[in-house]
Structure formats: structure tokens, C-alpha cells
Amino acid sequence: MFTLGSVLDNDFKSTIEDFSFETEFSTNQLMLPNIEKPFEFAQSIIGLEKDLQENENQLMFHQQKKEERKERALIKGYKGTTTLAFIYEKGTVVAVDSRATSGQYIASQSVQKVVPVNEYMLGTLAGGAADCQFFLAHLGRICNLYELRNNEKISVAAASKLLNNILYSYRNYGLSVGSMICGYDTRGPQLYYIDSDGSRLKNSLFSVGSGSPFAYGVLDAGYRWDLSKEEALDLGRRAICAATFKDSYSGGTVKVYHIDENGWVKISDDDASELWYRYEEKEKKKK
Amino acid sequence: MDSLVGFVGKNYVIMAGDTNAGRSIMRLKDDFDKLVPIDSHKILAKSGEIGDGNQFCNLIIRNVSLYRIRNETELTTKSVAHYTRRQLATAIRKNPYSVNLLLGGYDKKDQKGSLYYLDYLGSSKKINYGAQGYAALFVGSILDRFWKEDLDFEDGLELMKKCLREVEKRLIIGTRCFLIKMINSDGISVVEKVMINSEKKNEIEEEN
């Protein structure tokens, strides 16, 4: 009796494994229970044991600690950043801020939120810095291997799909990744949004982070497909600047990158607050 | 937050889905196609989490293709519905896919269209008309009242627009833009991408 089988069926496994060098990374090896959201469950169990050991008079303190732990464990929503990217006629523009916050404290004003995947692809960082940095660097390795094995440059769609599949297998493990894969390949400028929930969306503009609503405002108002290069870079810079002005978790410097058929180039790196007042002066001069 | 509506007419199945893809309060994409073609005569309309929907629909599509390649024969809508339900049911107690689906298809053998309602818990039911998401609350009663067997295509399209108009009017989450697809003996065709504005005295702008 013939039954439908999955693609990774026994007869196909050997051939698939030859080409799917990433499966060794995508099937996660962590031993966690087979329930919904195993990571949260594991965290809660660890907390409980610890509480039982400590003094019962400090119940309030334990509850606070548990809440803090819970808050830390459930870090969703990409706090503390604004990143944006959009494609237009001549290429892709990527603009990011550079502030990292830890609660109310500004941990750093000079974080690199753009990770180069290869010469013509950039990944942006939002959410958990460690998660993003690791997975984007890993994506860079995979793309390099692909080029060596297949003697052709990997497309942005394929690269984003690889990352998507890996992140999907870690779906309920508490990762926090809100990354955009931006690049220029044979199909022209491409932009994909990849999430730790497993979503993968293709569109012409995205903004990710706590300051993204503010950036969207400026971006949506000024975006056209037929922008000139100068206008496009200015739009990206202004949108991040607006977000850093309104959002306290975004700031530092505004970095702008441009990707076209020759690869990616870092265009500018301006201090966010200075930039704001520079724009204000420009407007005053116009009047 | 997703709205999917579908019903069976005379030798066709008509399905509509909203075109929003978002994250919490933000709309990330406003031309997102939720009516995914499985093969030339079947559509899987997905609602729920974007990631789960993508991965699960890919799984079903690739396996149906595999079956076709191995056996040189197309599966019926009923078989695909049963297979999909089984995948959802086996996953629910391990690694659940939070997707709710409407599977619509046209079988050349029977020359009839059929529609199946599939749930993330692994329930499956053959229906004549139905909806997923918040739309189900508003659209259910309209379809109960106005759906008849063997509706012509024009009447069916009018009924669908009536449903979508109601969704746009009453659902507080702004879903103005819907994509309507139709499956008949010729295959899947995009009927129209409709932008509904109920303020304009129930007028509907149509953009292709």
C-alpha cells in the first residue's frame, strides 16, 4: 500500500544530505519536552526549584525575581533599535541606528547592527543581539559554502529561505530575531524580512524595531520607486533620524548603506542628534 | 486577524482572503496572497501565523507534487484534505502548527467543486460555504441566508462581495483589500483584487 511520504523520505535522504549542508545546523539538538513553547516551560521549572530552596519569608522577593526572569525570558518585540531597508529602481538602501539598551541603561552607542552576509547582501540586526549576530554570521558561512559548491552566487531569496528554515526549527525556543536580508542579485534589488517566529515576507520596504512606527511614517511619506540615489539615501537617513528623535531606545549614530550590482557600500555614519539639528538648520535656511 | 471566505457554486469554488500581513499592531505587507495554489485545481487558503502557514503549506504542496511525480496521477480534493488533516493532527501534540485552512478544489472526474474546513487541532469537514478568522462571525449568517446550491458565477461573485463588504464594515481591524480567486474546470484564476470602501455608499473600487 502506497502512502504519501515526506520529502526527507528514506530513499531520498542520502541524496538530500549531500546537498543540504545546513540540516546539521537546522535540526536542533536541544533536549526539551514535546510541548508548546518548551523553552518557557523549562525556564519556569528552573525558577521554581530555586525558589523552593530559598527562605520562604522572601516570597515577595522571589515573585519579583520570577517576574524579572519571566520578562527576560519573554523578551519579544524588538526593543531598543530602529532598522529600515527599502528597494528602489537603482538598488537597496539600508539604514540603522546604533544604540543598545539594557532596560533603562544605554549599554552602547556604537553597535554594528548591519552584518554583511557576502559582498552583495546585508543582514540587519533587531531583537536579541547575540541571536542575530550568530545566525547572520552563520548565514554568511552557508552562503559561502553554496558559492563554492555550486559555482554561482546565491540569490537573496534562497539565502533568506535558508535562514527562515533554520529559525523555524527553533521556533519555540525563545530566540528573538527580527532581521532583514537585503541584497542585489540577478532579479534586481531584493528585500526579505525574517522573523524568529518563522515568518518570511518579501516587500519593497520594511522597518523593524521599537522605533519602526516612527520610521515608517517618514518612509511611507517619501517613498517612490523612481527615487534618485541621493534622494533615496537621504530618505533612509531622515527616517532613522526621525525614529531616534522620537524613540528613546534608538539613537547613537545613523549608518546608511547602499547595495547595487557592484555590491554593498557604507555611505555615511552620522551622529543622530547632530543630524537632527543639521536638518533643522537646513529647513530654517530654506525659509 | 486573517479573514478567509469561501463557498461552492455551480461547477466552481470561489474563495477570498484579505491581503494583510502584519506583526502586532503593524501592517508589514498589504499585498500578501493567502490563497496558495496546491496544484492546478486546488487552493489552500491559510490563516494564522505567517511562519507556520508558509512552512505547512509548503509541506503539503511538495508532498502532493511528489505523489504526482511518483504515481503520474493527480490527487482528488478529498484525498488532499484527509492528508492535510492527518499532518495537522499528528503535529498537534508535538509541535503544533497554528494554521487554520480552507481547502477548495475542483475535481475533473466528478466535475464538481468542493470546500473543506481544516483546523489547527486537526478537525476537518466538507462544507458548502464557510469562513476562517474573524470574518466567520460576520459572514456565517449572510451565507446561511443567501447561499443556494448551484449559484451562477455572477451571483456567486455578488454574494462574495456582500460578505466582504460586511467584513470591512464591521471588523474594527482595517481590512479593506481582498483577493478573490475562483477554481473551475479551467483551473485557478484570480477574479479580482478588491478594495472595499463602505463609506462610499457601498461602492466598491476594483483594481486588477
Side-chain angles (χ1 to χ4, degrees):
Chain A
M1 193 181 86
F2 194 82
T3 50
L4 282 174
S6 70
V7 178
L8 289 173
D9 216 0
N10 284 327
D11 5 331
F12 288 96
K13 210 167 193 174
S14 54
T15 31
I16 294 285
E17 268 180 4
D18 289 343
F19 296 105
S20 62
F21 35 83
E22 79 277 4
T23 49
E24 60 205 63
F25 304 104
S26 65
T27 49
N28 53 63
Q29 311 282 334
L30 293 170
M31 290 280 290
L32 287 178
N34 277 336
I35 52 167
E36 214 174 325
K37 307 203 174 159
F39 185 72
E40 286 175 29
F41 176 72
Q43 284 235 321
S44 65
I45 287 292
I46 292 166
L48 193 63
E49 274 185 29
K50 247 191 160 179
D51 286 340
L52 287 173
Q53 286 168 13
E54 283 178 283
N55 196 339
E56 277 190 1
N57 285 339
Q58 296 182 345
L59 191 64
M60 269 278 277
F61 180 67
H62 300 166
Q63 279 178 342
Q64 272 183 3
K65 266 175 79 178
K66 216 198 263 184
E67 268 162 6
E68 267 180 25
R69 215 179 298 124
K70 205 182 176 202
E71 213 190 346
R72 265 183 280 138
L74 294 176
I75 289 177
K76 294 246 169 93
Y78 307 102
K79 291 201 179 108
T81 191
T82 313
T83 58
L84 67 85
F86 61 90
I87 57 173
Y88 72 111
E89 194 179 20
K90 300 196 174 79
T92 314
V93 172
V94 183
V96 298
D97 75 316
S98 66
R99 178 176 288 182
T101 50
S102 169
Q104 319 286 39
Y105 171 68
I106 296 178
S108 167
Q109 291 272 62
S110 51
V111 178
Q112 275 288 1
K113 294 190 185 177
V114 169
V115 177
V117 175
N118 60 28
E119 317 88 48
Y120 55 94
M121 238 193 284
L122 293 174
T124 61
L125 211 144
D131 296 334
C132 287
Q133 280 171 357
F134 174 77
F135 283 106
L136 286 173
H138 181 55
L139 182 65
R141 282 194 289 270
I142 294 178
C143 292
N144 208 355
L145 278 171
Y146 180 97
E147 272 195 49
L148 291 168
R149 284 178 178 166
N150 298 283
N151 203 21
E152 70 166 9
K153 293 192 188 294
I154 191 171
S155 65
V156 182
S160 61
K161 189 73 181 161
L162 285 170
L163 183 62
N164 179 44
N165 287 338
I166 295 171
L167 286 177
Y168 185 76
S169 70
Y170 288 101
R171 196 164 35 132
N172 289 322
Y173 285 76
L175 291 180
S176 174
V177 173
S179 168
M180 293 181 287
I181 306 295
C182 338
Y184 197 105
D185 60 17
T186 50
R187 295 184 191 139
Q190 305 273 308
L191 176 60
Y192 285 86
Y193 165 75
I194 308 290
D195 209 310
S196 47
D197 294 337
S199 10
R200 171 176 174 263
L201 292 171
K202 178 179 194 309
N203 205 358
S204 48
L205 61 84
F206 281 116
S207 175
V208 184
S210 58
S212 62
F214 311 116
Y216 265 125
V218 177
L219 202 53
D220 284 332
Y223 176 76
R224 284 185 337 263
W225 178 257
D226 53 1
L227 291 164
S228 71
K229 186 172 174 183
E230 275 310 312
E231 285 176 332
L233 297 170
D234 189 53
L235 179 64
R237 201 176 293 125
R238 275 188 192 264
I240 294 287
C241 190
T244 58
F245 191 66
K246 272 280 194 280
D247 181 30
S248 44
Y249 293 107
S250 307
T253 57
V254 178
K255 297 179 169 63
V256 181
Y257 296 74
H258 188 266
I259 317 176
D260 56 19
E261 63 267 12
N262 302 320
W264 64 263
V265 170
K266 183 171 183 182
I267 303 290
S268 67
D269 192 342
D270 302 295
D271 183 277
S273 40
E274 270 175 39
L275 199 59
W276 178 263
Y277 295 110
R278 225 192 295 161
Y279 281 134
E280 239 187 324
E281 271 189 43
K282 237 195 243 181
E283 297 298 316
K284 276 189 200 160
K285 274 185 192 165
K286 268 190 201 172
K287 289 174 188 168
Chain B
M1 267 203 262
D2 307 306
S3 307
L4 302 171
V5 187
F7 58 84
V8 176
K10 185 174 183 134
N11 298 330
Y12 69 90
V13 179
I14 188 167
M15 299 172 77
D18 71 315
T19 56
N20 288 335
R23 175 168 198 90
S24 73
I25 56 160
M26 255 188 335
R27 183 181 300 142
L28 287 176
K29 200 166 143 74
D30 58 8
D31 53 1
F32 187 61
D33 188 358
K34 293 178 184 164
L35 306 174
V36 178
I38 300 179
D39 60 23
S40 56
H41 287 76
K42 294 181 199 49
I43 284 182
L44 196 53
K46 54 185 174 178
S47 86
E49 279 195 38
I50 304 173
D52 283 354
N54 281 341
Q55 297 283 351
F56 184 73
C57 285
N58 271 339
L59 176 72
I60 302 299
I61 293 167
R62 308 300 176 235
N63 280 297
V64 170
S65 301
L66 183 63
Y67 186 93
R68 193 179 63 244
I69 292 168
R70 276 180 173 164
N71 303 285
E72 292 189 1
T73 174
E74 300 251 343
L75 281 165
T76 57
T77 316
K78 183 177 175 181
S79 313
V80 176
H82 280 263
Y83 177 68
T84 310
R85 188 215 82 83
R86 181 125 186 106
Q87 294 295 308
L88 286 166
T90 48
I92 185 66
R93 290 185 197 279
K94 288 183 190 166
N95 214 0
Y97 293 106
S98 28
V99 266
N100 298 315
L101 308 162
L102 279 179
L103 171 69
Y106 183 87
D107 297 315
K108 285 188 187 152
K109 243 190 277 177
D110 309 321
Q111 296 199 332
K112 256 199 297 188
S114 43
L115 186 65
Y116 286 83
Y117 175 102
L118 294 142
D119 207 299
Y120 77 101
L121 295 163
S123 47
S124 151
K125 179 90 175 70
K126 183 168 194 292
I127 51 173
N128 287 318
Y129 54 85
Q132 290 275 16
Y134 287 120
L137 299 164
F138 307 115
V139 147
S141 52
I142 296 182
L143 288 168
D144 277 335
R145 168 80 178 80
F146 291 110
W147 184 87
K148 286 196 291 279
E149 278 231 42
D150 290 340
L151 275 171
D152 285 336
F153 179 62
E154 286 83 31
D155 295 336
L157 187 58
E158 195 43 57
L159 178 58
M160 180 57 88
K161 285 187 183 165
K162 201 181 278 190
C163 296
L164 299 179
R165 219 176 287 146
E166 183 65 15
V167 174
E168 193 277 335
K169 191 168 183 204
R170 291 299 176 192
L171 192 56
I172 210 167
I173 302 162
T175 38
R176 281 189 334 272
C177 208
F178 297 89
L179 187 63
I180 307 179
K181 287 190 182 175
M182 189 257 294
I183 319 166
N184 61 6
S185 55
D186 299 327
I188 300 171
S189 53
V190 177
V191 179
E192 42 194 292
K193 188 174 179 205
V194 176
M195 185 104 136
I196 298 184
N197 194 339
S198 61
E199 287 168 1
K200 277 188 181 177
K201 288 187 186 170
N202 291 332
E203 268 174 41
I204 298 180
E205 296 166 36
E206 288 159 8
E207 37 174 299
N208 283 321

Coordinates of all heavy atoms in Angstrom, one line a residue, chain A residues 142-173:
Chain A
I142 N 27.1 29.7 5.3 CA 26.3 28.8 4.4 C 26.3 29.4 3.0 O 26.5 28.6 2.0 CB 24.8 28.7 4.9 CG1 24.8 28.0 6.2 CG2 24.0 28.0 3.9 CD1 23.3 28.0 6.7
C143 N 26.2 30.7 2.8 CA 26.2 31.3 1.5 C 27.6 31.1 0.8 O 27.6 30.8 -0.4 CB 25.9 32.8 1.6 SG 24.2 33.1 2.1
N144 N 28.6 31.2 1.6 CA 30.0 31.0 1.1 C 30.1 29.5 0.6 O 30.6 29.3 -0.5 CB 31.0 31.3 2.2 CG 32.3 31.7 1.7 OD1 32.5 31.7 0.4 ND2 33.2 32.1 2.5
L145 N 29.6 28.6 1.4 CA 29.7 27.2 1.0 C 28.9 26.9 -0.3 O 29.3 26.2 -1.1 CB 29.1 26.3 2.1 CG 30.1 26.0 3.3 CD1 29.3 25.3 4.4 CD2 31.2 25.1 2.8
Y146 N 27.7 27.6 -0.3 CA 26.9 27.4 -1.5 C 27.7 27.9 -2.8 O 27.7 27.2 -3.8 CB 25.6 28.2 -1.4 CG 24.7 28.2 -2.5 CD1 23.6 27.3 -2.5 CD2 24.8 29.0 -3.6 CE1 22.7 27.2 -3.6 CE2 24.0 28.9 -4.7 CZ 22.9 28.0 -4.7 OH 22.1 28.0 -5.7
E147 N 28.3 29.0 -2.7 CA 29.1 29.6 -3.8 C 30.2 28.6 -4.2 O 30.4 28.4 -5.4 CB 29.7 30.9 -3.5 CG 28.7 32.1 -3.7 CD 29.5 33.4 -3.7 OE1 30.5 33.5 -4.4 OE2 29.0 34.3 -3.1
L148 N 30.8 28.0 -3.2 CA 32.0 27.1 -3.5 C 31.4 25.9 -4.2 O 32.0 25.3 -5.1 CB 32.7 26.8 -2.3 CG 33.5 28.0 -1.7 CD1 34.1 27.6 -0.3 CD2 34.7 28.3 -2.6
R149 N 30.3 25.4 -3.7 CA 29.8 24.1 -4.2 C 29.1 24.2 -5.5 O 29.2 23.3 -6.3 CB 28.8 23.5 -3.2 CG 29.5 22.9 -2.0 CD 28.5 22.4 -1.0 NE 29.3 21.8 0.1 CZ 28.7 21.5 1.3 NH1 27.5 21.7 1.5 NH2 29.5 21.0 2.2
N150 N 28.5 25.3 -5.8 CA 27.6 25.5 -7.0 C 28.2 26.4 -8.0 O 27.6 26.6 -9.1 CB 26.2 25.9 -6.6 CG 25.5 24.9 -5.7 OD1 25.1 23.9 -6.1 ND2 25.5 25.2 -4.4
N151 N 29.3 27.1 -7.7 CA 30.0 28.0 -8.6 C 29.0 29.1 -9.1 O 29.2 29.5 -10.3 CB 30.5 27.2 -9.8 CG 31.7 27.9 -10.4 OD1 32.3 28.8 -9.8 ND2 31.9 27.6 -11.7
E152 N 28.1 29.5 -8.3 CA 27.3 30.6 -8.7 C 26.9 31.4 -7.4 O 26.8 30.8 -6.3 CB 26.1 30.2 -9.5 CG 25.0 29.5 -8.6 CD 23.7 29.3 -9.3 OE1 23.6 29.7 -10.5 OE2 22.7 28.9 -8.6
K153 N 26.6 32.6 -7.5 CA 26.2 33.4 -6.3 C 24.8 33.0 -5.9 O 24.0 32.8 -6.7 CB 26.3 34.9 -6.7 CG 27.6 35.4 -6.9 CD 27.7 36.9 -7.0 CE 29.0 37.5 -7.4 NZ 30.1 37.2 -6.5
I154 N 24.7 32.9 -4.6 CA 23.3 32.5 -4.1 C 22.4 33.7 -4.2 O 22.8 34.9 -4.1 CB 23.5 32.1 -2.6 CG1 22.2 31.4 -2.1 CG2 23.9 33.2 -1.7 CD1 22.3 30.7 -0.8
S155 N 21.1 33.4 -4.5 CA 20.2 34.5 -4.6 C 19.7 34.9 -3.3 O 19.8 34.2 -2.3 CB 19.0 34.1 -5.5 OG 18.3 33.0 -4.8
V156 N 19.2 36.2 -3.2 CA 18.7 36.7 -1.9 C 17.5 35.9 -1.4 O 17.4 35.6 -0.2 CB 18.3 38.2 -2.0 CG1 17.9 38.7 -0.7 CG2 19.5 39.0 -2.6
A157 N 16.7 35.4 -2.3 CA 15.5 34.6 -2.0 C 16.0 33.3 -1.3 O 15.4 32.9 -0.3 CB 14.7 34.3 -3.2
A158 N 17.0 32.7 -1.9 CA 17.5 31.4 -1.4 C 18.1 31.6 0.0 O 17.9 30.8 0.9 CB 18.5 30.8 -2.3
A159 N 18.9 32.6 0.1 CA 19.6 32.9 1.4 C 18.6 33.2 2.5 O 18.7 32.6 3.6 CB 20.5 34.1 1.3
S160 N 17.6 34.0 2.2 CA 16.6 34.3 3.2 C 15.8 33.0 3.6 O 15.4 32.8 4.7 CB 15.6 35.4 2.7 OG 15.0 35.0 1.6
K161 N 15.5 32.1 2.6 CA 14.8 30.9 2.8 C 15.6 30.0 3.7 O 15.0 29.3 4.6 CB 14.4 30.2 1.5 CG 13.5 29.0 1.6 CD 12.1 29.5 1.9 CE 11.2 28.3 2.1 NZ 10.0 28.6 2.8
L162 N 16.9 29.9 3.5 CA 17.8 29.1 4.4 C 17.7 29.5 5.8 O 17.5 28.8 6.7 CB 19.2 29.1 3.9 CG 19.6 28.4 2.6 CD1 21.0 28.7 2.2 CD2 19.5 26.9 2.9
L163 N 17.8 30.9 6.0 CA 17.7 31.4 7.3 C 16.4 31.2 7.9 O 16.2 30.8 9.1 CB 18.0 32.9 7.3 CG 18.1 33.6 8.7 CD1 19.1 33.0 9.6 CD2 18.3 35.1 8.5
N164 N 15.3 31.3 7.1 CA 14.0 31.1 7.6 C 13.8 29.7 8.1 O 13.2 29.5 9.1 CB 13.0 31.4 6.4 CG 11.6 31.2 6.8 OD1 11.1 31.6 7.9 ND2 10.8 30.6 6.0
N165 N 14.3 28.7 7.3 CA 14.1 27.3 7.7 C 14.8 27.0 9.0 O 14.3 26.3 9.9 CB 14.6 26.4 6.6 CG 13.7 26.4 5.4 OD1 12.5 26.7 5.6 ND2 14.2 26.0 4.3
I166 N 16.0 27.6 9.2 CA 16.8 27.3 10.4 C 16.0 28.0 11.6 O 15.8 27.3 12.6 CB 18.2 28.0 10.3 CG1 19.0 27.2 9.3 CG2 18.9 27.9 11.7 CD1 20.3 27.9 9.0
L167 N 15.6 29.2 11.4 CA 14.9 29.9 12.6 C 13.6 29.2 12.8 O 13.1 29.1 14.0 CB 14.7 31.3 12.2 CG 15.9 32.2 12.3 CD1 15.6 33.6 11.9 CD2 16.5 32.2 13.7
Y168 N 12.9 28.6 11.8 CA 11.6 28.0 12.0 C 11.8 26.7 12.9 O 11.0 26.4 13.7 CB 11.0 27.6 10.7 CG 9.6 27.0 10.9 CD1 8.5 27.8 11.1 CD2 9.4 25.6 10.7 CE1 7.3 27.2 11.3 CE2 8.2 25.1 10.9 CZ 7.1 25.9 11.2 OH 5.8 25.3 11.3
S169 N 13.0 26.0 12.8 CA 13.2 24.9 13.6 C 13.4 25.2 15.0 O 13.3 24.4 15.9 CB 14.3 24.0 13.0 OG 15.5 24.7 13.2
Y170 N 13.8 26.5 15.3 CA 14.0 27.0 16.7 C 12.8 27.8 17.1 O 12.9 28.7 18.0 CB 15.3 27.8 16.8 CG 16.5 27.0 16.7 CD1 17.3 26.9 15.6 CD2 17.0 26.3 17.8 CE1 18.4 26.2 15.5 CE2 18.1 25.5 17.8 CZ 18.9 25.5 16.6 OH 20.0 24.7 16.6
R171 N 11.7 27.6 16.5 CA 10.5 28.4 16.7 C 10.1 28.8 18.1 O 9.8 29.9 18.5 CB 9.4 27.7 16.0 CG 8.2 28.5 15.7 CD 7.3 27.7 14.7 NE 7.3 26.3 14.8 CZ 6.2 25.5 14.8 NH1 5.1 26.1 14.8 NH2 6.3 24.2 14.9
N172 N 10.0 27.7 19.0 CA 9.5 28.0 20.4 C 10.6 28.0 21.4 O 10.4 27.8 22.6 CB 8.5 26.9 20.7 CG 7.2 27.1 19.9 OD1 6.8 28.2 19.7 ND2 6.6 26.0 19.5
Y173 N 11.8 28.3 21.0 CA 13.0 28.2 21.9 C 13.4 29.5 22.5 O 14.5 29.6 23.0 CB 14.1 27.5 21.2 CG 13.9 26.0 21.1 CD1 13.0 25.5 20.1 CD2 14.5 25.1 21.9 CE1 12.8 24.1 20.0 CE2 14.3 23.8 21.8 CZ 13.4 23.3 20.9 OH 13.2 22.0 20.8

